[in-house]
Amino acid sequence: MPPGERGGAVAAHAAIDWEPIRLFLEVARRGSFRSAADALGMSVNVLRRRIGELESALDIKLLTRHVDGVRTTEEGKRILAAAQRMEQASFGVLRERDQIDPAITGEVRLAITEGLGAFWIVPRLVEFQRRNPGLLVDISCAMKSADVLRMEADVAIQLTRPTAKDLKVVKIGRLHVMPFAAPAYLDRHGTPATFEELLKHKIVLQLADQVADFADYDRIFPGIPQPGFVAIRSNVSSTHYWAIARGAGLGLLPTYAQAIGARVVPVDLPLRMQCDICLTYHPDAAKIARVRRLIDWMIAAFDPDRFPWFRDDFIHPRDFPADLAGAPVASLFEGFAGMGGGVGGTPDGASSADPFGL
């Protein structure tokens, strides 16, 4: 065979289909064939066969099976690193494609924590969509951080700062949390004024990614067993809020809760926390007109000059400017008004205009 033809044959043989590489990435990331198969929407047997075919094509053992899942071999780790670079290159192709057409139409994907998404952004996002009718806004509210590098979202709002070097991270505000309780709960049990008095009450706890975990509880309440002290423990902010608002106990909420009309009141205790609100996106994504439009709107939605509860310094809810309290999303809870005689009847102390007694 002439040298030129031989080189062409080698090049053709060396070309590897991207699809099995993508499958290998998913298995390596998730640590098991079953988990990866569920995420990919395919059977475990088919996935194993595809990975086996890839190993045969590369003549390399990529994965070894163990009782707790799969592990990447030393040779496989080198292939995995190259595969990750291929993945980023494929995402780059998509971003370049999107930049070709700058029209403000299409789909934009926003990932945000469940509490900020449900209580702050979504009620305001309707205004954004009305001003940009050509955009479809896909919003994912979850406590687990989205992987922006892998294009799980165009823009992400997180409470933990990403560490990836290739991402643009902008601090757009600070979230302050403090104890809140339902007025009805305080009427029944009194208002604790000290940490020691708090231990005689019931509390509501939220444990989730980006918020708190068991180690945080043990640090704040060392040696205090949760049963008998924690009334309700949940993993999402909406459940956490309603447990507090219905009078299950005291719980930590963002200070802006009062500004959006939440039916709870702040309780002054030496128990306050804060964390930065980070907006994250790929630098190339900001060149896409529809994504840039969302980025600019998100920055404005957390503007600390307009919304003082997002400032770096703690501001007590009672000190919020009167013309701002409740104004941004004042209608957030109005759908629950006028529902007299809700499910199970009206709780003690509730009026027909407020079936929750809050």
Side-chain angles (χ1 to χ4, degrees):
M1 178 183 293
E5 294 183 12
R6 186 184 305 114
V10 172
H13 179 73
I16 299 296
D17 184 9
W18 162 245
E19 182 60 16
I21 295 291
R22 184 179 71 87
L23 302 182
F24 166 58
L25 275 169
E26 195 68 28
V27 175
R29 284 191 176 112
R30 295 184 177 273
S32 79
F33 278 102
R34 184 165 300 280
S35 177
D38 290 341
L40 293 165
M42 60 193 306
S43 73
V44 175
N45 289 336
V46 170
L47 180 58
R48 285 174 177 161
R49 185 177 73 248
R50 295 296 301 276
I51 297 300
E53 291 171 352
L54 176 62
E55 289 178 327
S56 297
L58 295 175
D59 196 22
I60 291 175
K61 185 66 175 176
L62 299 172
L63 301 166
T64 55
R65 297 173 62 181
H66 300 266
V67 293
D68 58 347
V70 298
R71 297 174 191 169
T72 308
T73 65
E74 289 301 316
E75 296 80 5
K77 290 178 181 178
R78 297 180 63 178
I79 300 299
L80 178 62
Q84 291 168 335
R85 293 193 293 271
M86 289 176 64
E87 181 183 51
Q88 290 304 312
S90 71
F91 293 153
V93 169
L94 296 178
R95 283 190 287 265
E96 290 296 330
R97 177 206 64 188
D98 289 339
Q99 292 175 39
I100 294 173
D101 181 8
I104 309 298
T105 59
E107 180 177 327
V108 286
R109 295 165 301 153
L110 169 66
I112 189 169
T113 57
E114 191 258 351
L116 286 174
F119 292 120
W120 182 254
I121 286 300
V122 169
R124 302 172 56 76
L125 195 61
V126 175
E127 302 172 10
F128 172 80
Q129 203 286 320
R130 285 173 180 167
R131 295 175 183 176
N132 300 275
L135 291 181
L136 185 161
V137 182
D138 183 330
I139 180 169
S140 174
C141 297
M143 300 312 298
K144 184 176 178 59
S145 299
D147 191 336
V148 177
L149 277 179
R150 295 189 62 222
M151 298 184 72
E152 292 180 353
D154 298 310
V155 180
I157 299 294
Q158 302 175 192
L159 301 180
T160 54
R161 191 175 184 88
T163 57
K165 296 180 181 179
D166 294 332
L167 291 178
K168 179 70 173 178
V169 181
V170 181
K171 175 189 169 185
I172 58 175
R174 179 167 290 175
L175 192 69
H176 299 271
V177 298
M178 67 178 296
F180 280 82
Y185 175 89
L186 299 178
D187 289 342
R188 288 193 299 268
H189 303 286
T191 303
T194 66
F195 189 83
E196 288 70 25
E197 290 181 7
L198 173 63
L199 299 180
K200 300 176 183 178
H201 285 256
K202 294 289 187 180
I203 70 167
V204 175
L205 192 62
Q206 180 186 5
L207 300 182
D209 289 353
Q210 301 193 64
V211 178
D213 55 25
F214 283 96
D216 293 314
Y217 175 87
D218 293 336
R219 176 177 54 81
I220 299 171
F221 303 106
I224 307 297
Q226 291 191 23
F229 179 48
V230 177
I232 294 177
R233 185 177 66 212
S234 65
N235 66 328
V236 294
S237 300
S238 53
T239 301
H240 181 65
Y241 163 74
W242 282 114
I244 298 170
R246 289 289 285 142
L250 292 91
L252 294 176
L253 289 173
T255 53
Y256 72 77
Q258 191 157 312
I260 63 173
R263 288 127 184 221
V264 292
V265 294
V267 179
D268 287 314
L269 286 168
L271 188 56
R272 297 175 184 172
M273 300 178 185
Q274 62 185 27
C275 60
D276 290 341
I277 303 171
C278 296
L279 181 145
T280 306
Y281 57 92
H282 193 284
D284 289 343
K287 302 174 185 177
I288 303 170
R290 63 179 181 273
V291 178
R292 183 74 250 179
R293 182 67 60 88
L294 179 63
I295 290 172
D296 292 341
W297 183 85
M298 292 299 299
I299 292 174
F302 289 92
D303 181 3
D305 290 330
R306 185 180 178 190
F307 308 118
W309 37 88
F310 293 131
R311 293 177 184 170
D312 284 351
D313 295 332
F314 173 85
I315 300 178
H316 198 285
R318 64 170 172 261
D319 297 325
F320 291 164
D323 60 339
L324 283 179
V329 282
S331 63
L332 180 58
F333 294 97
E334 70 179 8
F336 295 109
M339 293 171 53
V343 177
T346 304
D348 294 339
S351 66
S352 60
D354 185 358
F356 294 109
L358 302 175

